[in-house]
Amino acid sequence: DRDEKDPRAPYPPPEAKMATTTMKAQNFQATPLIDVKLKEVPGVGPKLLEKLEEANIDTAEKLMGHFLVMGRDTDRFKTWLEDVCEIRGQDGAKVVEPLAEKADKLVKV
């Protein structure tokens, strides 16, 4: 068991981070894109937020638009994240997968 008063105890507990990540993903899927701030997109943390803004992507709509312009090609978008935003591997997937899921709901093809 974890002692809440022990300063050496890890904080937040791992299960809290997972719950927060899951809630962020659920909120992203349930909220109209126009109402989503870029930092609320799953996988977008402070580092990626800064890199996206440097690439002139400062809204969730622009990020989704960029994904759509790339033909909803998840591999191509991951490569763009690597090349332009220096986001690698699993970190890129954390952004791409929720975007792809939301794009599938927005664009029925």
Side-chain angles (χ1 to χ4, degrees):
D1 281 330
R2 192 168 91 82
D3 183 357
E4 293 296 325
K5 296 180 183 187
D6 182 353
R8 296 168 294 154
Y11 190 80
E15 60 274 8
K17 181 175 170 98
M18 185 172 20
T20 302
T21 302
T22 301
M23 288 177 61
K24 188 175 183 179
Q26 289 173 342
N27 288 340
F28 176 69
Q29 295 303 328
T31 304
L33 196 57
I34 195 166
D35 296 329
V36 177
K37 291 179 176 33
L38 186 55
K39 67 182 180 180
E40 296 170 341
V41 174
V44 175
K47 179 183 172 188
L48 180 55
L49 182 64
E50 182 179 327
K51 293 290 187 178
L52 288 168
E53 288 173 346
E54 288 173 8
N56 197 34
I57 294 180
D58 54 5
T59 66
E61 292 126 311
K62 284 185 182 179
L63 184 62
M64 179 63 79
H66 204 70
F67 179 67
L68 294 173
V69 165
M70 291 187 166
R72 297 167 42 196
D73 182 330
T74 56
D75 291 332
R76 187 174 170 200
F77 197 74
K78 283 183 207 173
T79 300
W80 178 82
L81 286 171
E82 289 178 11
D83 294 345
V84 175
C85 300
E86 301 170 359
I87 299 300
R88 306 275 180 246
Q90 188 60 31
D91 290 334
K94 289 177 186 176
V95 178
V96 174
E97 290 168 6
L99 279 177
E101 183 179 340
K102 192 156 187 92
D104 288 345
K105 292 175 185 175
L106 295 171
V107 181
K108 304 284 185 196
V109 182

